[in-house]
């Protein structure tokens, strides 16, 4: 059986089912209780689980720090940060405590915390509300970083993240929350962390994307004059290099798409891995289609900043013509 759900509804379903399954799962954050969250991902959950859903003060460092304590003492915290850029205020809790607990205690203690947060542009939000910082989280050993692109994966990956014994950063695209309804399995549904998916098979060029950019990439390849293969990365860290490399060895060309700034972005990391293990299969340099090395602009310039169908199509054409 399956339901037609939007991404935000699939996330709510995963939270509801995991709290019903395990009383140690605790959802908390700014406005997640009475108001149901800034995007209503936790709407009505406090009524159903009054002992497991709490509003938190406007203090991100405290929210994440409390997750370290809860996780280390038998709870399964699922805090919500209202927007990804607000997590910077609690970054030291993630880097210095949550990510290191497993190694610090010689493997005896973990922090089973899943940090949910909206990320990325596309909704004309105010300054500091559209950051795409997944590369920063992926740079921290001990943190897993997940970015679903569709409702079914959102439910399956979030369920897997909550059941993971170590901390997971779960980034939800603001532009995809209510974009479309798609089929989502009812009941038990998990998607393993660390596994990419080939969502479109092709022979001429590989396009790698995740989150909202996966949809821009799919639109671009439909109009491109090439038989493109599209890989949805789904988990940024640990990265499924094997699926990317297998695809690139088949097509010989690759375009990586992300809305984060270009310098130090994950496209550079993916390019390096291809150079390490599939260099002699390449027919052309790896193309990067990314955001720019500037702060995410106010909404008047938002569409010019984010990679769109046209920019991705030109990237594919460059890869094919080299």
């Amino acid at each position: 059986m399956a339901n037609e759900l939007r991404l935000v509804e699939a996330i709510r379903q995963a939270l509801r089912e995991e709290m019903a399954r395990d009383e140690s799962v605790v959802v908390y954050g700014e406005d997640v209780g009475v108001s149901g969250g800034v995007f209503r991902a936790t709407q009505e959950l406090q009524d159903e689980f009054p002992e497991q859903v709490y509003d938190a003060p406007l203090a991100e460092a405290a929210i994440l720090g409390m997750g370290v304590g809860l996780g280390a003492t038998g709870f399964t915290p699922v805090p919500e940060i209202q927007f990804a850029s607000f997590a910077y205020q609690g970054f030291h809790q993630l880097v210095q405590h949550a990510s290191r607990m497993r190694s610090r205690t010689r493997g005896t203690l973990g922090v089973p915390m899943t940090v949910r947060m909206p990320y990325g542009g596309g909704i004309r939000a105010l300054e500091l509300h559209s950051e795409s910082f997944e590369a920063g989280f992926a740079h921290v050993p001990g943190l897993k970083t997940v970015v679903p692109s569709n409702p079914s994966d959102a439910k399956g990956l979030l369920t897997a993240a909550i059941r993971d014994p170590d901390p997971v950063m779960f980034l939800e695209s603001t532009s995809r929350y209510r974009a479309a309804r798609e089929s989502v399995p009812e009941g038990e549904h998990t998607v393993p962390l660390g596994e990419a998916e080939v969502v479109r098979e092709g022979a001429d060029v590989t396009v790698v994307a995740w989150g909202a950019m996966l949809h821009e990439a799919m639109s671009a390849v439909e109009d491109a004059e090439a038989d493109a293969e599209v890989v949805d990365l789904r988990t940024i860290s640990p990265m499924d290099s094997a699926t990317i490399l297998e695809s690139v060895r088949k097509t010989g060309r690759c375009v990586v798409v992300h809305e984060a700034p270009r310098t130090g972005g994950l496209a550079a990391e993916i390019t390096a891995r291809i150079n390490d293990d599939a260099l002699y299969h390449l027919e052309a340099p790896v193309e990067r289609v990314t955001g720019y090395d500037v702060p995410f602009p106010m909404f008047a310039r938002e569409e010019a900043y984010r990679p769109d169908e046209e920019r991705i199509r030109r990237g594919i054409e460059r890869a094919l013509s080299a």
Side-chain angles (χ1 to χ4, degrees):
M1 294 291 291
N3 287 324
E4 295 292 316
L5 300 178
R6 295 186 174 94
L7 191 140
V8 69
E9 295 166 337
I11 288 168
R12 188 184 307 131
Q13 187 174 91
L15 292 172
R16 177 183 288 114
E17 291 179 1
E18 286 307 287
M19 282 193 288
R21 181 187 65 85
D22 181 357
E23 291 183 352
S24 79
V25 176
V26 179
V27 171
Y28 64 98
E30 296 157 9
D31 298 325
V32 304
V34 175
S35 297
V38 65
F39 287 96
R40 302 297 181 261
T42 57
Q43 194 168 34
E44 299 180 352
L45 292 183
Q46 191 177 55
D47 295 334
E48 298 176 53
F49 305 94
E51 303 298 324
Q52 293 172 258
V53 181
Y54 297 92
D55 282 314
L58 187 65
E60 286 76 12
I63 289 171
L64 297 174
M66 189 166 75
V68 175
L70 287 169
T73 54
F75 289 90
T76 306
V78 188
E80 177 183 299
I81 300 296
Q82 284 197 336
F83 291 89
S85 58
F86 299 164
Y88 304 153
Q89 282 86 335
F91 206 54
H92 66 296
Q93 295 290 353
L94 297 172
V95 177
Q96 297 174 339
H97 301 298
S99 69
R100 293 169 180 260
M101 188 65 74
R102 183 69 64 185
S103 61
R104 180 176 286 161
T105 61
R106 308 295 192 271
T108 60
L109 200 60
V111 176
M113 174 170 65
T114 299
V115 184
R116 294 183 42 250
M117 60 180 74
Y119 88 102
I123 60 168
R124 296 176 175 265
L126 301 174
E127 186 181 19
L128 304 178
H129 290 67
S130 303
E131 311 298 323
S132 186
F133 194 63
E134 62 267 30
F137 297 123
H139 191 66
V140 181
L143 291 184
K144 299 182 179 72
T145 303
V146 177
V147 189
S149 66
N150 61 71
S152 180
D153 278 357
K155 177 180 177 179
L157 289 165
L158 181 56
T159 300
I162 292 172
R163 298 179 185 182
D164 195 277
D166 293 304
V168 178
M169 310 303 294
F170 196 87
L171 277 65
E172 302 159 6
S173 170
T174 55
S175 66
R176 299 304 306 175
Y177 267 138
R178 302 180 188 280
R181 292 185 184 277
E182 296 179 24
S183 179
V184 177
E186 289 185 13
E188 179 79 9
H189 173 55
T190 60
V191 174
L193 305 184
E195 292 188 10
E197 181 182 20
V198 176
V199 294
R200 184 185 194 278
E201 294 194 358
D204 295 339
V205 60
T206 298
V207 179
V208 181
W210 51 91
M213 288 297 105
L214 188 280
H215 299 271
E216 298 290 345
M218 289 294 287
S219 297
V221 302
E222 293 300 327
D223 294 333
E225 295 182 358
D227 184 17
E229 180 152 300
V230 180
V231 177
D232 182 356
L233 203 52
R234 302 199 293 194
T235 299
I236 303 303
S237 178
M239 185 182 294
D240 183 0
S241 298
T243 295
I244 297 172
L245 294 171
E246 182 180 356
S247 178
V248 171
R249 288 179 183 126
K250 179 173 67 172
T251 66
R253 304 173 193 273
C254 185
V255 178
V256 186
V257 184
H258 61 65
E259 63 180 298
R262 182 182 182 90
T263 299
L266 283 160
E269 174 63 28
I270 292 170
T271 302
R273 295 188 185 203
I274 293 171
N275 287 342
D276 285 344
D277 295 310
L279 178 64
Y280 296 113
H281 294 268
L282 284 177
E283 301 289 342
V286 177
E287 284 287 334
R288 291 182 284 169
V289 182
T290 70
Y292 299 105
D293 291 337
V294 298
F296 196 95
M298 298 293 283
F299 53 80
R301 304 290 185 190
E302 186 178 66
E303 294 306 317
Y305 174 89
R306 301 176 78 222
D308 60 9
E309 182 179 337
E310 177 59 28
R311 284 179 60 194
I312 297 168
R313 188 163 54 242
R314 291 202 300 269
I316 293 171
E317 290 170 354
R318 288 194 298 274
L320 291 170
S321 63

